[in-house]
Amino acid sequence: MKLFPNAHATHPQWRMAAALVLAQLKAQMALPGYARAPTLGLLYITDHYADDAAALLRHLAEALPSVTDWSGTVGVGVAGNNVEYFDEPALSLMLCDVPSAQYQVFSGVAPLQRGAAHKALVHADGQTPDLAELLAEMAERTASGCLFGGVAASRGRSVQFAQHAGSDGTRGGVLSGGLSGVAFGPQVDLVSRVTQGCQPIGPQAVITEARDNVVLRLDGRSALDVLLGALGVTLAGDPQPALRAVRATLAGLSDADGPPLRHRGHIGADARVRHIVGLDGARGGVALADRVEAGMRLVFCQRHAAAARADLVRICAEIREELAPELQAPQAVPAGSAAPRGEQMPARRLCGALYVSCSGRGGPHFGGPSAELQIVRRALGDVPLTGFFAFGEIASHRLYGYTGVLTVFAGPGSEN
């Protein structure tokens, strides 16, 4: 695969923004390293353009005749290389150099069939009933059980782009409600990671007693005592410092048979991070914004700018390491035999990236405007990137909140 052409722009008038984007794309498509005739477009717009979404899609499709298939949605912000456009009229577009036989745009008009995909990019309407259950069922339709994407974010109209070229002509377009996206085949090399931006502040524990949403005992101890001990505070005397510390604390949960919650100083991707909504002094309990049961595992954690930056750098490093693994250790050989050299796993190159982040994470949470995207660029390099700021993030088979989901498209290390 070649590099994916990508562009982004802001302007009060969508036609002007589209003109700026098209000029960038056509300049890139003329360069040797970029794809010249990609067929799949990933389009993200801020809600300022939502009412003109259909006209915008028609305009882009007419200007880019090689792009026969489109997917995307609306956000309160959109992402591009090294920059975020938050609460301003903007669009971000990436043209993916993926074999046509290895992807399928799906929606309510053209549903995804079970077993038809290896992994899938999913855009969702937040008003869809039983969304978490739908995502779990959607993941079961893929061979890997892996989804990535996010929930549309709009202060007005919520739209999704899902247009594909069928044998009888173009179908779909701008839709509302439900799920849509792109199903990818096994030959599309995708690497995805989730950053929760949380730092554990205590050991993992097993919930040994609970009622509804209240954790009563952890490893046989009062849950409230465990929380206050992890924070190093007390409710005796003036309780306000302790209550401020509790308000800044969350809880990571997992099922009894799930993987460990704590991994090398960060919260694992399988954790469901929930707010603490109350303290039960009479029973020594901690109330969470989710139902809990005995046997589940829990770790208290905190979100702050330093933890968010460190965790974002971590997932970028993990992606780079997976794409360019270090020299593998040689295997043991019988005495007297020549020792084999370590084998270098074939490196892969980044062709494009998609980043979906929570609408509450952008800007000041990372220290300034576009700081989140600048961290990604410093860690991954100057990779073509698009994405949006969502009302919920999708990874694996789960719906997350206040996270970032980074997915990269990889190709062979040497350009074909």
Side-chain angles (χ1 to χ4, degrees):
M1 290 190 297
K2 301 269 190 177
L3 289 173
F4 295 176
N6 78 296
H8 42 85
T10 177
H11 195 278
Q13 299 178 15
W14 68 263
R15 289 184 182 276
M16 291 299 298
L20 293 169
V21 162
L22 289 168
Q24 296 172 57
L25 291 173
K26 291 178 179 180
Q28 290 176 17
M29 293 164 72
L31 297 175
Y34 285 84
R36 292 183 178 273
T39 59
L40 174 63
L42 299 183
L43 172 62
Y44 299 100
I45 62 173
T46 59
D47 52 6
H48 299 73
Y49 295 155
D51 289 339
D52 297 306
L56 173 58
L57 179 59
R58 284 195 303 270
H59 181 79
L60 292 173
E62 291 172 0
L64 298 166
S66 73
V67 184
T68 56
D69 304 285
W70 296 84
S71 182
T73 191
V74 60
V76 293
V78 296
N81 298 66
N82 206 39
V83 65
E84 64 187 38
Y85 299 97
F86 216 89
D87 196 23
E88 61 181 319
L91 66 93
S92 180
L93 173 58
M94 186 167 72
L95 307 181
C96 305
D97 183 29
V98 180
S100 297
Q102 287 295 311
Y103 74 84
Q104 171 197 340
V105 175
F106 66 87
S107 66
V109 176
L112 176 63
Q113 302 300 316
R114 186 179 296 273
H118 185 66
K119 298 180 180 179
L121 164 63
V122 178
H123 305 120
D125 189 314
Q127 300 301 314
T128 302
D130 302 320
L131 179 55
E133 289 77 8
L134 280 177
L135 292 173
E137 193 271 336
M138 175 72 71
E140 292 178 355
R141 298 189 189 186
T142 69
S144 67
C146 179
L147 309 177
F148 59 97
V151 178
S154 177
R155 290 158 294 192
R157 185 184 176 199
S158 182
V159 298
Q160 298 174 45
F161 300 103
Q163 180 170 296
H164 60 98
S167 58
D168 55 349
T170 299
R171 301 178 65 184
V174 176
L175 310 174
S176 297
L179 306 178
S180 68
V182 186
F184 293 99
Q187 295 181 27
V188 181
D189 193 353
L190 294 164
V191 180
S192 191
R193 291 289 187 277
V194 180
T195 172
Q196 304 225 46
C198 290
Q199 180 180 0
I201 59 170
Q204 175 181 289
V206 175
I207 299 175
T208 48
E209 185 180 352
R211 182 171 298 176
D212 297 326
N213 69 322
V214 181
V215 181
L216 296 173
R217 303 192 76 78
L218 291 168
D219 288 339
R221 298 177 55 204
S222 159
L224 181 56
D225 288 346
V226 173
L227 170 60
L228 297 177
L231 293 172
V233 296
T234 177
L235 293 174
D238 181 7
Q240 291 307 312
L243 294 176
R244 285 194 293 269
V246 169
R247 292 189 191 102
T249 304
L250 304 104
L253 296 170
S254 77
D255 297 330
D257 57 352
L261 286 166
R262 183 169 180 160
H263 299 272
R264 300 178 183 176
H266 66 87
I267 294 292
D270 289 294
R272 304 188 299 275
V273 179
R274 298 293 185 259
H275 287 279
I276 295 173
V277 296
L279 304 178
D280 188 336
R283 294 185 294 174
V286 178
L288 306 181
D290 200 353
R291 187 178 180 84
V292 290
E293 297 177 353
M296 295 174 68
R297 291 182 287 185
L298 179 148
V299 62
F300 292 114
C301 54
Q302 291 181 332
R303 280 194 179 112
H304 46 73
R309 288 194 295 267
D311 204 43
L312 184 53
V313 171
R314 174 189 63 81
I315 67 166
C316 292
E318 287 184 359
I319 288 173
R320 292 195 68 88
E321 184 177 350
E322 183 167 340
L323 296 182
E326 296 180 355
L327 200 66
Q328 303 299 300
Q331 298 179 348
V333 295
S337 300
R341 297 180 179 180
E343 294 184 359
Q344 178 73 39
M345 299 293 289
R348 295 117 81 196
R349 59 196 286 266
L350 294 169
C351 298
L354 173 68
Y355 188 52
V356 180
S357 185
C358 178
S359 56
R361 280 168 55 95
H365 185 70
F366 284 83
S370 299
E372 186 173 8
L373 274 299
Q374 290 167 8
I375 292 171
V376 173
R377 182 174 182 177
R378 285 196 297 270
L380 286 186
D382 191 15
V383 178
L385 182 146
T386 191
F388 72 108
F389 290 86
F391 278 167
E393 301 76 59
I394 298 167
S396 184
H397 60 284
R398 292 192 174 94
L399 179 63
Y400 291 83
Y402 218 78
T403 64
V405 180
L406 177 62
T407 304
V408 302
F409 294 78
S414 57
E415 186 178 308
N416 292 335

